[in-house]
Amino acid sequence: MSVDTVSMTGWGRTAPTTALRFRPRTYEEAAVAVTGRGPRGVVARGLGRSHGDAAQNAGGSVVDMTGLDRVHTIDTATGTVVCDAGVSLHRLMEVLLPLGWFLPVTPSTRYVTVGGAIGSDVHGRNHLTAGSFTRHVRSLELLTADGAVRTVLPGTTLFDATAGGLGLTGVVLSATLSLRPVATSLMTVVTERAADLDEALARLSATAGHLPYAAARIDLMARGKATGRAVLARGEHAPLDALPPRARHTPLVFRPAQLPAAPAYVPEGLLGRTSAALLAELRFRGAGAVRAGRLQRVSSFLHPLDALPGWNRLYGRGGFVHYRFAVGEGQEQTLHRVVRRLSLRRCPAFHAVLQRLGTGGPGWLSFPAPGWSLSFGLPAGLPGLARLLDRLDDEVAEAGGRVCLAQDARMRPETLAAMYPRLADFRALRAELDPDGAFRSDLSRRLSL
């Protein structure tokens, strides 16, 4: 096991902190890293795609799990895979797609580990029908503070605390995941334009259950009658007979597109108001009224930003703040107020996505809940950004909504309890399971988790 001291951030590249990094290659080495922790505690880390500070631990220890990356077994009879927590979703797709299997839930990037997907309880565009990631976890092996390894099953309090628990109940070592069969590695895609936010909401509601992967890219630069205009994309895994004859010979090939990496330094102005407005205009005009039945690679449809390595550098050295919130059905006016507030400020949001969410999972701190989710990224150096987002926190909490903790890097602790009603249960289980506070992170200290 290698050990070094490194400075690290989340994907947003803000608030760097320094920690002692352990890189285990076996479960036993991971246990040594946990039991040999210092007074500042320890937290697991995967590929660093959490936008906030959930996988940082200033002055403490971080267990880099990417060395534990074995796929143990694939059971085609039951449609399950057993793998280490350090395996990336990208690697699972490389292994599973040629066999005709796919993950039931994948977030907007496939470069996250299985352990990270469990700790964040990630969701994808198909949350309305498939739920979040941990709905499809059949069991997991959890390394707790005392060095013991526990088998954790759905329906138990420890599972509910670990699902979306941000690594604060222990280190996930391995998991058994349910899979879904697919006939091809392509998606059948329908894209259409919505003239404003009301139309985007109506179209997403009208297509519920049909073409289950659905989301809308919102133009947060548009004003007036066009406020909240959007490009909707809906899709489903393509059947074999939808492919051209030649493609049917290799229907399950997985070849993600890859563009050249972004340069190490990009000026802040590249994603300023002018360029953001231009990109939004080109996207909206290029979408056309309706484009139905188009075939697209699964990687291009579900993970478009993965084609550009290091895209987070497009915001420049100052990094960016990612903000994702959810509000329930009947709270559409909250969405309208937030979108209007951002559009009036001409906030240069590069990737703003609206989607419907279905039934929430069992995780006490899991983000998804029935209703609507809006996410966007803003340059960290935007004047007045902290004050703006604090106001949005208050508005979301007042509407009974919540902010996604796995993407957060700046929320105030006093707003947390209003957003997550099972917070007290989570803290009580943590106190019982880990009375010495072995598992800590910058996020857990900031929010008193």
Side-chain angles (χ1 to χ4, degrees):
M1 175 169 60
S2 66
V3 183
D4 57 0
T5 300
V6 294
S7 176
M8 57 188 69
T9 69
W11 190 243
R13 303 174 66 232
T14 61
T17 56
T18 300
L20 192 65
R21 177 175 61 182
F22 293 85
R23 309 181 81 170
R25 304 291 299 185
T26 66
Y27 296 165
E28 291 76 15
E29 289 181 348
V32 169
V34 168
T35 56
R37 64 190 179 271
R40 295 281 289 180
V42 63
V43 71
R45 182 180 176 94
L47 289 167
R49 287 302 180 107
S50 172
H51 290 80
D53 55 3
Q56 298 171 224
N57 186 20
S61 301
V62 168
V63 183
D64 183 328
M65 296 295 291
T66 55
L68 293 168
D69 59 354
R70 295 163 297 179
V71 178
H72 294 284
T73 60
I74 300 169
D75 190 330
T76 57
T78 60
T80 58
V81 60
V82 181
C83 61
D84 286 344
V87 174
S88 70
L89 304 192
H90 173 83
R91 177 58 183 155
L92 284 181
M93 291 176 198
E94 286 183 323
V95 172
L96 296 171
L97 256 178
L99 302 176
W101 295 97
F102 197 71
L103 295 165
V105 171
T106 173
S108 58
T109 174
R110 61 187 182 273
Y111 293 111
V112 298
T113 61
V114 168
I118 293 171
S120 300
D121 197 16
V122 297
H123 69 280
R125 294 190 186 189
N126 61 340
H127 186 268
L128 196 64
T129 56
S132 54
F133 192 88
T134 57
R135 180 190 289 187
H136 308 278
V137 176
R138 293 198 176 184
S139 68
L140 59 88
E141 300 295 312
L142 186 72
L143 172 63
T144 50
D146 56 3
V149 177
R150 307 188 187 197
T151 299
V152 184
L153 301 176
T156 63
T157 56
L158 186 51
F159 187 93
D160 294 348
T162 301
L166 306 164
L168 297 176
T169 62
V171 177
V172 177
L173 296 176
S174 66
T176 301
L177 310 175
S178 296
L179 306 172
R180 64 166 293 180
V182 294
T184 74
S185 61
L186 296 175
M187 306 288 292
T188 300
V189 179
V190 175
T191 59
E192 56 187 319
R193 293 189 304 208
D196 56 25
L197 183 57
D198 277 328
E199 186 177 344
L201 294 169
R203 288 181 181 271
L204 285 174
S205 296
T207 57
H210 175 59
L211 297 175
Y213 295 91
R217 291 284 299 273
I218 302 292
D219 180 1
L220 292 179
M221 301 291 288
R223 292 183 176 185
K225 293 182 179 180
T227 299
R229 69 178 182 176
V231 176
L232 281 71
R234 295 173 284 123
E236 175 59 299
H237 295 276
L240 186 62
D241 58 11
L243 273 59
R246 181 175 295 182
R248 295 177 193 176
H249 296 297
T250 55
L252 292 165
V253 64
F254 181 55
R255 292 177 183 155
Q258 190 88 357
L259 297 173
Y265 172 72
V266 178
E268 294 277 357
L270 188 65
L271 283 181
R273 288 186 173 91
T274 301
S275 54
L278 177 60
L279 287 170
E281 186 69 28
L282 291 173
R283 184 187 306 116
F284 188 79
R285 290 184 180 275
V290 177
R291 296 174 65 187
R294 188 162 51 102
L295 292 176
Q296 217 176 333
R297 293 177 182 178
V298 66
S299 56
S300 299
F301 178 72
L302 294 177
H303 315 118
L305 289 178
D306 283 348
L308 180 60
W311 64 262
N312 58 337
R313 295 184 178 276
L314 294 176
Y315 287 90
R317 288 181 174 173
F320 72 100
V321 173
H322 189 86
Y323 192 84
R324 185 192 299 272
F325 73 93
V327 292
E329 300 280 357
Q331 293 295 332
E332 287 79 7
Q333 285 306 311
T334 301
L335 282 172
H336 276 279
R337 286 192 295 270
V338 171
V339 170
R340 280 198 302 269
R341 191 190 299 270
L342 295 170
S343 66
L344 288 173
R345 286 179 58 102
R346 300 279 288 169
C347 290
F350 171 56
H351 192 73
V353 178
L354 172 72
Q355 71 172 105
R356 286 195 70 189
L357 298 178
T359 304
W364 292 341
L365 296 187
S366 292
F367 166 71
W372 300 97
S373 168
L374 178 64
S375 66
F376 52 89
L378 295 172
L382 193 68
L385 180 61
R387 185 168 60 255
L388 168 66
L389 297 183
D390 284 348
R391 289 176 180 172
L392 296 188
D393 287 348
D394 294 338
E395 192 154 5
V396 169
E398 187 176 342
R402 58 184 57 169
V403 170
C404 180
L405 298 180
Q407 308 296 347
D408 177 60
R410 30 69 45 199
M411 190 168 67
R412 299 160 296 168
E414 56 268 24
T415 62
L416 186 64
M419 295 180 177
Y420 289 89
R422 300 301 300 271
L423 178 62
D425 295 326
F426 181 80
R427 284 172 170 160
L429 185 139
R430 279 250 296 151
E432 178 184 348
L433 183 68
D434 181 12
D436 297 326
F439 295 106
R440 305 182 203 173
S441 64
D442 291 354
L443 181 143
S444 74
R445 277 187 286 268
R446 177 168 54 81
L447 295 179
S448 301
L449 289 174

